[in-house]
Amino acid sequence: MDGSPRDVAQLVYAACQCACLVYDPLAQPGPGLVPVMSRAPSVTGTAKAVSMWKLGAGNTLIVSVRGTASAADHMVNMNAEPEDASRVLGLPFRVDAHRGFLSCAKALLPSLPQEIARQLAADQRLSHVVFTGHSAGGAVASLLFLHAAYNCLSRESPAAQPGEAPARRGRAAPRPKISLATFGSAPVTSADVTARAGEQPSVGWMLAFVNEFDMVPRADQPYTRSIVDLYRTRYGLPCRWTAVGGESCPLSQALCWTLPEPSHQLVGEVILSRSALRATRPTGDSASEVAAPQAASLMFIKVARAAFHNLVFCEVGVHKRRVYLERMRFLATGAWETPTQ
């Protein structure tokens, strides 16, 4: 991973802020974030809202894609059939992607890479581009990141428009590094492409943050159907999609509930954000008579892909943007704990 852990944590927090700000272009950004571009979504939801930000004291351009914010966005999310993404994203290998999210990425190509190239040409100090998004925005940002990884971002500025001064050409700066930070992203590719994408020379780091119990990063069709059947067994109802313990598959007849193989996966290393309660040491003479108060603590754990696919997450409250933003703030300030073995 390029950069020190502290530097990466600061960038992740900035990316999370941008992933939230893209929902409200009029919101006041945090210190150091300078807006450089904002594009409204299409009425049909196919073209997502996008914004770009520069870190005022850094060398980073952050590209943020908005997630679900309208009924049209929900229709896009439901269009989950797999579709070949190799031609749309310019990949040298075959991989399928969630059709709805792929259509959103396609709607932003090639205009978004051209805008990124324009920003890079205008500011030669920019050496790092971070793609980010929350929920469905994270899924679309992941596809745009893959396109950038295999179709190197250029500093060549597009041809000047009428009345616009041509960009100055000086000594060519090196191509920028590109990274990915998603927050509660929906699964998007039919296979895990993280290791393969990481071999590209322009790729920095790829991080998919998931709050513990957040259902959205697990919610592809096989998982959702399996959870529905799990709840049906709780009430003695027959399973609709899962073959467990006979026709009615009562949970009491199954030693364990085996989750199906996922149809779509996250892009990036899965970083699980886990909130726990810990007992604080009581103070005072009557400490033995008073229950120790509880204080929240956070842990960030890298989870192997196979282990992640065995987790049962069914909550939506922890999927909220403000929850991710608060936890990334803790990550940036170092106010979290290292898990003990």
Side-chain angles (χ1 to χ4, degrees):
M1 181 182 296
D2 292 348
S4 69
R6 180 177 178 82
D7 290 341
V8 173
Q10 294 288 341
L11 280 177
V12 165
Y13 178 46
C16 192
Q17 292 180 73
C18 295
C20 296
L21 288 167
V22 70
Y23 286 81
D24 184 5
L26 299 180
Q28 188 67 27
L33 285 174
V34 180
V36 295
M37 189 276 282
S38 179
R39 179 178 300 169
S42 64
V43 176
T44 60
T46 303
K48 294 283 190 182
V50 178
S51 63
M52 290 188 194
W53 306 77
K54 284 197 292 188
L55 280 175
N59 58 353
T60 304
L61 180 70
I62 301 176
V63 182
S64 177
V65 183
R66 195 188 76 178
T68 305
S70 67
D73 290 332
H74 284 289
M75 295 298 293
V76 170
N77 298 348
M78 293 173 62
N79 187 13
E81 291 300 314
E83 183 174 325
D84 182 13
S86 56
R87 290 189 62 183
V88 174
L89 303 181
L91 305 179
F93 55 88
R94 168 69 187 260
V95 66
D96 290 342
H98 180 292
R99 179 176 294 170
F101 299 147
L102 183 62
S103 67
C104 292
K106 184 177 181 179
L108 293 171
L109 299 173
S111 59
L112 184 61
Q114 290 174 352
E115 181 59 36
I116 294 174
R118 184 177 289 108
Q119 296 296 332
L120 294 174
D123 189 346
Q124 296 291 313
R125 297 172 303 171
L126 293 173
S127 60
H128 196 183
V129 178
V130 177
F131 290 85
T132 190
H134 169 264
S135 194
V140 177
S142 298
L143 297 178
L144 295 172
F145 164 82
L146 289 175
H147 177 271
Y150 286 92
N151 303 269
C152 294
L153 292 175
S154 172
R155 291 182 181 273
E156 293 294 326
S157 180
Q161 299 298 318
E164 181 182 32
R168 294 182 179 179
R169 295 184 180 272
R171 186 172 60 180
R175 292 186 183 275
K177 283 287 185 181
I178 59 172
S179 295
L180 174 70
T182 61
F183 308 96
S185 171
V188 62
T189 56
S190 61
D192 181 11
V193 298
T194 303
R196 197 163 186 173
E199 296 173 353
Q200 295 300 107
S202 62
V203 170
W205 37 264
M206 296 169 283
L207 302 174
F209 286 90
V210 177
N211 287 342
E212 188 178 27
F213 306 122
D214 185 354
M215 183 175 182
V216 172
R218 296 286 288 116
D220 60 358
Q221 189 177 80
Y223 176 83
T224 304
R225 288 179 171 180
S226 182
I227 294 302
V228 170
D229 278 345
L230 178 60
Y231 274 94
R232 288 175 66 87
T233 62
R234 178 65 178 83
Y235 298 98
L237 298 174
C239 294
R240 297 189 61 184
W241 297 285
T242 308
V244 178
E247 183 178 352
S248 60
C249 64
L251 191 59
S252 59
Q253 294 182 14
L255 295 177
C256 65
W257 188 269
T258 303
L259 293 171
E261 288 295 318
S263 62
H264 293 95
Q265 303 198 32
L266 301 176
V267 177
E269 297 178 338
V270 178
I271 308 297
L272 187 68
S273 165
R274 186 175 192 180
S275 179
L277 293 177
R278 62 181 179 183
T280 58
R281 181 175 298 175
T283 58
D285 296 337
S286 59
S288 60
E289 302 176 6
V290 180
Q294 300 290 308
S297 63
L298 278 177
M299 292 185 292
F300 292 90
I301 309 166
K302 180 180 176 181
V303 180
R305 195 61 59 118
F308 180 68
H309 293 156
N310 284 326
L311 297 175
V312 178
F313 288 174
C314 297
E315 287 190 16
V316 293
V318 292
H319 183 66
K320 294 178 180 178
R321 298 190 301 274
R322 61 177 177 81
V323 178
Y324 276 97
L325 184 61
E326 181 65 13
R327 294 190 180 188
M328 295 309 110
R329 184 181 68 82
F330 273 87
L331 178 68
T333 57
W336 50 281
E337 296 185 353
T338 301
T340 57
Q341 300 296 327

